[in-house]
Amino acid sequence: MAPSPIDVAETCDVCVVGAGLAGLAAAVGFARAGRRVVSAGASERLGQGRTVALLGPSIDFLDQLAVWTAVERRAAPMRGLRIVDDTGSLFAPPPIAFRAREIGRDAFGSNVENSALADALEAAAAAHPDLVRVAVDVAGFDFAPERATVTLADGRVFAAALVVGADGRASPSRRAAGITVSARRYPQSALTVVLAHARPHDDFSTEFHTRQGPFTLAPMPAAPGAPNRSSLVWAMSEAEAKRRVALDDDALAAEIERQARSLLGAMRIEGERGIFPLARQSVGRLVATRLALVGDAAHAFPPIGAQGLNLGLRDVKALIAAATASDDLGADAALDAYARARSADVLFRTTAVAGLNRALLADCAPVDLARGLGLAALGAIGPLRRLTMRAGVAPLFAAT
């Protein structure tokens, strides 16, 4: 009689499935907490002009993982945020500027290319003696009450007290555990690219609100021959995305400069560009037997307000705290504590981002009036503006 997979499994404390940024952070974090970790999944290199705006608490967490030092020199600080209403609304407020010094910070965070952060996390994973990195996709799961098993495509099997599902929006681990998901595809796509430009950004990120979605320029560090650089995430209709992706670099740069109102002067495309569809996705629950979801496996929404990876890193930090406080990392009590710690923040961020995106697309006078009054209030009322800045950077209230 052949042995069952659980009889031949290699054991570990935590198996992290998915090797994107949140997954690698989870693997390194659990290893640094003294756990034996397996990180499973092919390495991800997004490229295509993709950057991530890391907020202060995310940088602090990466510093705790001994990762930030390797990333910092390739990042640009974001000391200010400018919001410009470019919807054409009759109720459009004047541009609003937020400065980190108003809330006692040198910067809200830093903007860095995804590939630079991935390189640093991969290096940290490779260097830790308690972390085994297996760049092989997962073929199957068994979430038994006493322990979970993860079967890789090469036939290897790992038994773990806890499986961390960091395997993206399609999340095979979520599907195997029977966790329901609610998804909404928006009639938008986002263009991503890194730009060189004539005028300095002065460490400001600028977000233009347009009828097709946000157009966001975030500062990037200087490079040889390009002292002024920014990254762009430009949400637009699918028809416009299809048209613009076919433009040559000079024509696309000219359209970007026009949309930016020549704020940063003449533009030049650097490197490759990317297009990805926009969607909102939420899950019925963050945990199941021996499984906790983090990052895009747990939530996804349009790129507004620098919330995506920052939310995922807060997931990872909360999960490590909840799991390592228990003798059994994947016990129901530990997973329930994680879910309680994260549910309110995840719901608030996803609802707020989805609401703003819908408001931009609505082209409805009452909605425009409400949005315009809200932005005007942020510009005029100091305490409200500072409260909003603090809430944008980190949750105001920690769950217990």
Side-chain angles (χ1 to χ4, degrees):
M1 177 177 170
S4 66
I6 201 154
D7 293 327
V8 298
E10 300 177 54
T11 61
C12 59
D13 296 318
V14 182
C15 183
V16 181
V17 294
L21 300 178
L24 290 172
V28 173
F30 272 109
R32 289 184 63 85
R35 311 298 168 164
R36 295 170 300 156
V37 181
V38 170
S39 167
S43 297
E44 296 182 16
R45 286 292 182 276
L46 295 176
Q48 297 183 321
R50 297 287 289 274
T51 67
V52 56
L54 293 165
L55 299 176
S58 294
I59 292 173
D60 293 342
F61 179 52
L62 292 171
D63 197 35
Q64 293 168 20
L65 301 185
V67 168
W68 181 243
T69 300
V71 177
E72 187 173 14
R73 62 183 177 81
R74 300 174 66 179
M78 300 181 298
R79 294 190 169 90
L81 168 64
R82 184 184 298 109
I83 295 179
V84 181
D85 189 307
D86 198 24
T87 61
S89 165
L90 293 173
F91 310 104
I96 302 166
F98 302 88
R99 292 174 174 82
R101 65 173 182 265
E102 292 186 68
I103 56 172
R105 290 177 173 269
D106 177 61
F108 292 119
S110 292
N111 191 42
V112 63
E113 290 184 79
N114 286 49
S115 58
L117 182 53
D119 288 343
L121 286 165
E122 285 276 17
H128 203 288
D130 292 327
L131 199 165
V132 176
R133 180 76 182 92
V134 186
V136 176
D137 288 334
V138 175
F141 301 89
D142 179 14
F143 296 109
E146 65 281 2
R147 58 177 170 169
T149 56
V150 177
T151 302
L152 304 188
D154 64 3
R156 296 176 69 180
V157 181
F158 293 94
L162 172 65
V163 173
V164 179
D167 44 354
R169 294 187 185 187
S171 187
S173 64
R174 183 185 66 216
R175 188 167 58 250
I179 296 176
T180 59
V181 62
S182 174
R184 177 181 177 182
R185 174 77 167 84
Y186 290 106
Q188 299 161 282
S189 291
L191 181 148
T192 57
V193 70
V194 173
L195 304 161
H197 42 83
R199 297 174 186 156
H201 48 59
D202 296 325
D203 298 333
F204 256 77
S205 179
T206 302
E207 187 167 284
F208 290 85
H209 290 174
T210 81
R211 281 296 180 209
Q212 296 185 14
F215 170 103
T216 304
L217 292 161
M220 291 289 290
N228 305 312
R229 301 168 69 235
S230 293
S231 64
L232 172 67
V233 180
W234 188 0
M236 62 190 75
S237 70
E238 292 175 323
E240 282 296 279
K242 184 177 180 180
R243 181 185 69 81
R244 288 188 173 115
V245 78
L247 295 175
D248 63 31
D249 282 355
D250 290 343
L252 178 60
E255 292 205 8
I256 292 170
E257 182 185 350
R258 281 195 295 273
Q259 178 56 65
R261 299 184 180 179
S262 294
L263 179 71
L264 300 177
M267 300 283 190
R268 185 179 79 247
I269 303 295
E270 280 196 357
E272 59 181 345
R273 63 184 88 162
I275 290 280
F276 63 96
L278 300 189
R280 177 188 180 186
Q281 189 166 287
S282 58
V283 297
R285 53 199 169 110
L286 292 172
V287 299
T289 302
R290 299 284 166 188
L291 172 69
L293 302 178
V294 300
D296 285 355
H299 40 71
F301 42 80
I304 299 175
Q307 295 300 317
L309 179 62
N310 292 286
L311 200 65
L313 292 178
R314 289 204 290 275
D315 295 341
V316 170
K317 185 176 181 180
L319 177 58
I320 293 171
T324 57
S326 170
D327 291 336
D328 181 351
L329 295 171
D332 289 345
L335 296 180
D336 288 345
Y338 164 65
R340 286 195 305 273
R342 295 301 302 136
S343 294
D345 185 35
V346 169
L347 178 62
F348 172 73
R349 308 284 163 171
T350 54
T351 301
V353 168
L356 177 56
N357 192 53
R358 286 197 303 270
L360 293 176
L361 299 178
D363 197 7
C364 170
V367 174
D368 281 350
L369 176 60
R371 181 171 50 80
L373 289 173
L375 289 173
L378 289 178
I381 304 172
L384 177 61
R385 184 172 63 255
R386 289 188 287 274
L387 179 69
T388 301
M389 285 189 279
R390 291 189 182 99
V393 170
L396 293 176
F397 304 102
T400 58

